[in-house]
Amino acid sequence: MSSGARQLLHYAVETVDGTTPSPFARTVLPFVSTSLDQTASRENSNTIIDSRIAAQGTITSVEVAGDIETEFRYGTYDELLAGVACNDWSANSLTFGGTVYKSFSFLRGYDDVANFHTFAGTRVNSWALSIPETGMVTSTFGLMGKSRTPSAIAPAGTITPPLLNPVLGSVSVGNILIDGESQVGTACISAFEFTWDNSTQIQRCLGNGLDIGALIPTSATGTGSFTMAWSVKAGQDYYERQFKNTTIGLELSLMEDPKADSGNTNQYTLKIPQVEVTASLPSGGKDEILQATFEFNVVNKAPILTRKAFT
């Protein structure tokens, strides 16, 4: 029997795609839940034998995939963010939609029952950032891998503890800009969602057994939504944009201390230069505050995430 408190999740950046570093020097990854796993697809046999009992089928393919749900913190997940952006951090700036494809090895383990699983050749296919009206900011990484190796012994290698800055919450939002104009004090945005998906495809190769041949990112898509209190000055203006075939720009900052002066707190800023929006006119009861949800698609220009550490 295994305790949920004794689960572990470690990761390392691979030098060679699909090859776990040896020794497996790795970093502890804080997480809320994970579904990273290997699954098999089977095909039933149509063979007729001298019995009404079905003949044994066979495994036709395997898939290594799953999500890692986290409570978002400054600095803790920067390697995974670089993986999903397919780029390197440059001068504390990360541009999404690049062609620098990174692979990781993940160790998923149950320490109290000596059961460990190493997932190699893992790509970060997607990332979802969710900022609720009240509550913690959550971040979910979607993974796709090439192989899984079980073991009764944890791999040898140095284990680095995680960077545990404070968890970011809804009150960590510092500023929100639409088309360069601050919405704080002008309009009321109560929730924000952003998802990036690399649309990674599996290349299967005969002769590889249960392992996957290659993981190939294809078109990159960015989507999301924000909820805004309805008004003529804000909501109405952006609502009309969908009929004019014009885009808007979005920018949002997350700060450990949103009341601190710039540079006196750890912070991220997500800038999305151009998005197309769609929305419906709001409706509600007589005792409700009317809000509109704007869905958006990233177009033309890549989103950029910047980080600024407290010095």
Side-chain angles (χ1 to χ4, degrees), residues 225-245:
S225 67
F226 58 90
T227 302
M228 175 179 281
W230 189 253
S231 69
V232 172
K233 188 174 182 180
Q236 167 69 15
D237 177 36
Y238 305 131
Y239 170 82
E240 295 296 342
R241 298 288 185 97
Q242 63 188 320
F243 306 111
K244 299 176 182 178
N245 199 32

Side-chain angles (χ1 to χ4, degrees), residues 9 17 40 45 165 172 174 195 212 228 258 285 287 292 308:
L9 189 62
D17 185 8
S45 172
N165 285 311
S172 302
T195 298
I212 291 167
M228 175 179 281
D287 295 323
K308 182 184 289 185

Side-chain angles (χ1 to χ4, degrees), residues 14-275:
E14 296 176 347
T15 303
V16 178
D17 185 8
T19 301
T20 300
S22 182
F24 189 179
R26 55 198 187 268
T27 301
V28 176
L29 190 70
F31 70 104
V32 174
S33 67
T34 181
S35 58
L36 180 59
D37 204 350
Q38 183 181 42
T39 57
S41 296
R42 294 178 176 273
E43 187 168 325
N44 295 330
S45 172
N46 293 317
T47 300
I48 300 172
I49 53 180
D50 59 348
S51 169
R52 292 191 301 112
I53 307 302
Q56 183 178 354
T58 189
I59 296 174
T60 56
S61 65
V62 296
E63 183 174 327
V64 176
D67 292 339
I68 299 174
E69 181 186 355
T70 71
E71 296 167 346
F72 200 46
R73 305 167 185 263
Y74 180 86
T76 306
Y77 306 101
D78 284 2
E79 290 277 15
L80 299 189
L81 289 170
V84 75
C86 297
N87 243 328
D88 291 315
W89 287 92
S90 177
N92 288 317
S93 180
L94 181 65
T95 302
F96 284 74
T99 56
V100 182
Y101 304 129
K102 302 176 183 293
S103 64
F104 300 82
S105 284
F106 283 88
L107 178 68
R108 187 175 178 188
Y110 308 89
D111 192 44
D112 53 351
V113 294
N115 181 233
F116 304 93
H117 303 262
T118 300
F119 297 85
T122 308
R123 297 276 179 88
V124 187
N125 178 53
S126 64
W127 176 53
L129 178 71
S130 179
I131 306 174
E133 182 175 352
T134 60
M136 292 184 178
V137 177
T138 60
S139 175
T140 301
F141 297 92
L143 307 179
M144 298 177 69
K146 287 184 176 181
S147 65
R148 178 189 64 90
T149 303
S151 174
I153 302 173
T158 303
I159 301 173
T160 302
L163 182 63
L164 287 179
N165 285 311
V167 176
L168 299 172
S170 52
V171 297
S172 302
V173 176
N175 203 356
I176 303 173
L177 305 180
I178 297 182
D179 286 342
E181 296 183 2
S182 176
Q183 303 301 298
V184 178
T186 302
C188 180
I189 294 177
S190 57
F192 182 88
E193 306 273 347
F194 175 70
T195 298
W196 188 259
D197 193 325
N198 288 306
S199 304
T200 301
Q201 302 296 315
I202 296 174
Q203 175 69 66
R204 304 187 189 279
C205 304
L206 297 177
N208 276 10
L210 295 181
D211 292 346
I212 291 167
L215 297 170
I216 303 173
T218 57
S219 60
T221 58
T223 59
S225 67
F226 58 90
T227 302
M228 175 179 281
W230 189 253
S231 69
V232 172
K233 188 174 182 180
Q236 167 69 15
D237 177 36
Y238 305 131
Y239 170 82
E240 295 296 342
R241 298 288 185 97
Q242 63 188 320
F243 306 111
K244 299 176 182 178
N245 199 32
T246 57
T247 63
I248 66 173
L250 299 173
E251 185 174 321
L252 178 142
S253 63
L254 284 170
M255 311 166 72
E256 286 181 358
D257 181 4
K259 300 300 182 182
D261 294 332
S262 179
N264 290 335
T265 182
N266 294 327
Q267 62 178 299
Y268 287 116
T269 300
L270 176 64
K271 184 175 182 179
I272 311 174
Q274 292 186 354
V275 301

